[in-house]
Amino acid sequence: MKLIKLDAIDSTNDFLKGLSNNQSIENFTVVTAESQTKGKGQMGSVWVSEKGKNLTMSVLVNDYLSDISAVFDINIAVSISIIQVLKDLHIPKLSIKWPNDIMSYNKKIGGILIENSIKSNGTIHSIVGIGLNINQTDFTNLPKASSLAKICSTTFDKEKILLMIVEKLKQNIQFWNVNAISMWAKYSDNLFKKGIPMTFLDKNEKYFMGIIQGVSTIGKLEVLLENDSVSDFDIKEIQMLY
Ligand code: BTN
């Protein structure tokens, strides 16, 4: 595995994207940074992480998606790989808040940002960005965030966790065709608040009650509504209030 360690960069995703656009680089090349000046989160948000304390990493996954419509597969492979590693580290009460926030108890401890691009020869390259809060313990003004250290009251070796994640991701991707069904099942089993009545906010700022049932084949969230129908939502259409 090729590992590029940076001290500071705007975003490890953007750095790896630039690198892979300009030269052919090895599959599963990893870029890490001690700090990011423009860390990117889902839906145009900013990813903030205390310098040197956490994992901010990007992994290049070349030509794994058979077709762009299978885009949620890679979300699942990455989320489950992280959950498996954190389970091995005995982190308690793990779940995946749809689509890919990594939770422990009610707190977000990690996020994933996957950026796919189709090359001129038709192959799809994915930049898998992972932000995992490891040793940061001060989350002032971030009441819904936490870290492994805060939850377990001990510090962790972030390099070791990085290697564990990349190894698990490689395995899960290599054996995807054999394991796809069980991976989707694991993802569904680990969904945050699945089966529990909760309040949501729709895109018109309207509150409604619903119960998460699972995800559809294209990765939309399936919610049972009060009128007993099930509706599918994409990420821009719904917000979970918890
Ligand atoms: C989210 O909003 O939950 C996704 C956060 C993803 C953050 C990671 S940190 C490493 C990589 N580089 C980025 O700019 N973002 C991702």
Side-chain angles (χ1 to χ4, degrees), residues 15-204:
F15 179 86
L16 187 54
K17 207 182 298 165
L19 209 62
S20 67
N21 281 341
N22 294 328
Q23 54 191 283
S24 141
I25 55 172
E26 213 178 280
N27 206 4
F28 293 99
T29 293
V30 180
V31 176
T32 63
E34 293 305 308
S35 79
Q36 296 184 116
T37 51
K38 276 192 197 149
K40 301 191 296 183
Q42 289 275 351
M43 307 245 295
S45 66
V46 180
W47 184 256
V48 183
S49 177
E50 193 181 325
K51 184 179 167 71
K53 297 274 171 104
N54 302 318
L55 265 183
T56 47
M57 61 187 272
S58 300
V59 189
L60 179 73
V61 179
N62 274 336
D63 207 15
Y64 149 76
L65 290 171
S66 51
D67 118 28
I68 202 79
S69 67
V71 82
F72 206 71
D73 285 355
I74 191 159
N75 259 287
I76 290 187
V78 177
S79 315
I80 290 301
S81 300
I82 297 173
I83 292 285
Q84 287 173 329
V85 165
L86 297 181
K87 276 196 177 145
D88 289 346
L89 294 169
H90 307 291
I91 309 303
K93 298 277 176 204
L94 292 164
S95 63
I96 304 162
K97 181 170 158 285
W98 175 85
N100 48 22
D101 286 351
I102 306 297
M103 310 291 287
S104 170
Y105 296 95
N106 256 8
K107 305 275 183 182
K108 177 166 173 172
I109 55 171
I112 299 164
L113 177 68
I114 301 172
E115 298 181 87
N116 299 306
S117 57
I118 306 177
K119 301 285 158 186
S120 47
N121 63 1
T123 60
I124 301 167
H125 290 203
S126 306
I127 307 282
V128 174
I130 300 170
L132 189 61
N133 294 335
I134 310 273
N135 290 323
Q136 177 172 341
T137 50
D138 180 5
F139 290 95
T140 310
N141 301 327
L142 292 168
K144 289 185 169 171
S146 194
S147 67
L148 306 192
K150 198 157 178 186
I151 284 160
C152 300
S153 305
T154 179
T155 53
F156 288 82
D157 179 344
K158 60 186 179 121
E159 174 116 358
K160 185 178 141 203
I161 298 176
L162 165 116
L163 297 175
M164 288 169 81
I165 291 175
V166 178
E167 211 35 59
K168 195 61 90 179
L169 184 61
K170 263 188 188 172
Q171 279 172 22
N172 285 337
I173 284 183
Q174 196 181 348
F175 297 110
W176 181 259
N177 289 337
V178 193
N179 293 334
I181 292 173
S182 80
M183 288 284 172
W184 273 76
K186 276 197 181 89
Y187 178 88
S188 180
D189 291 346
N190 281 285
L191 270 182
F192 180 69
K193 301 281 187 198
K194 186 179 174 188
I196 297 170
M198 61 182 299
T199 311
F200 296 88
L201 190 61
D202 72 12
K203 57 179 188 247
N204 303 315

